[in-house]
Amino acid sequence: MTYALDAPVATTPAARVARRKALLHWIGVHALGVAAALFFVLPFVFIVLTSLMDNQQTLTRDLIPDHWQWSNYKKVWDTPGFLTWWRNTLVYAGLGTVLTVVSSVPVAYALAKFRFRGRNLSMMLVISMMMLPPQVIIIPMYLFWAKQLDLSGTLWPLIVPMAFGDAFSIFLLRQFLMTIPNEYLDAAKVDGCGELRTLLRVVLPMAKPGIAAVALFQFFYAWNDYFGPQIYASENPGAWTLSYGLESFKGAHHTDWNLTMAATVLVMAPVILVFFFAQKAFVEGVTLTGVKG
């Protein structure tokens, strides 16, 4: 018994040119991707390497530590006040994120699903608040919190306003909730659910990606906020946050750059870890907010 071998497929010059173009396109796209990745990663690598040098080597052109000084991180961690800054930042970012989400979700739900007179005007006011720089209102707000309520030197002037919603969070959640079909809400109401129960039992489970995106945005903002703690808490070192406390690592005439970089790594690490574990929900929430206007 004989078997016929498959004849090789004939390749035309046009097919070879097409494959060559496809290969060049693949190489070009991936080369640009690698270049973009290096553009964002190399500064972080530089910070980490500098944080592991001794203080004398940081002033040279060397990029690799001669002796890996892991003790720099312990020195930073043992710096007086550093744990207090950590605690203050966690309270500010954590409590602020919870208050922002809890207060913004009902407003966004009302703007997305309720039909009432003045809804469009309310949405325009929310968008207008997004365009208003915080520096414009900082003087009257400081006078209110410091002079009227005597809360200067604390983080409460930054945390309490988050309990009344955030314009950007409301806008983002409203855009996401617009993508939820009204049929689900109508079915819940037919089953006897009121508006609050519909929000809790139907809308919130379906809006998890959008809520996750808003929570991450708010957490990152509060964790990295420098302007707010500088205005309200600068007079009280016990209320400093990590972003503001980093300034204490810079002396008037000399800066220990290795310790400053080590402190920077410790400040950035939690944000990087949070985004690493929540990036799927974050990307999904941001992507779906633009599906329907």
Side-chain angles (χ1 to χ4, degrees), residues 104-117 119-120 123 170 173-186 189 194-196 198-199 202-204 206-207 292-293:
S104 299
V105 168
V107 180
Y109 175 63
L111 292 175
K113 297 302 181 181
F114 289 3
R115 297 292 183 267
F116 57 91
R117 181 177 298 178
R119 188 181 72 158
N120 293 334
M123 193 62 203
I170 293 172
L173 284 170
R174 184 256 184 188
Q175 295 300 106
F176 186 91
L177 294 179
M178 291 287 290
T179 65
I180 298 178
N182 293 330
E183 288 76 11
Y184 290 103
L185 280 64
D186 296 337
K189 293 174 182 178
E195 294 293 350
L196 180 59
T198 301
L199 173 62
V202 179
V203 176
L204 290 186
M206 300 179 68
K292 185 176 182 180

Side-chain angles (χ1 to χ4, degrees), residues 88 91-92 142 145-146 149-161 228-241:
N88 295 337
V91 171
Y92 176 28
Y142 178 80
W145 290 106
L149 300 182
D150 195 23
L151 289 177
S152 61
T154 69
L155 294 175
W156 290 113
L158 301 174
I159 297 175
V160 173
Q230 182 189 31
I231 296 298
Y232 293 105
S234 59
E235 62 189 60
N236 178 19
W240 287 2
T241 59

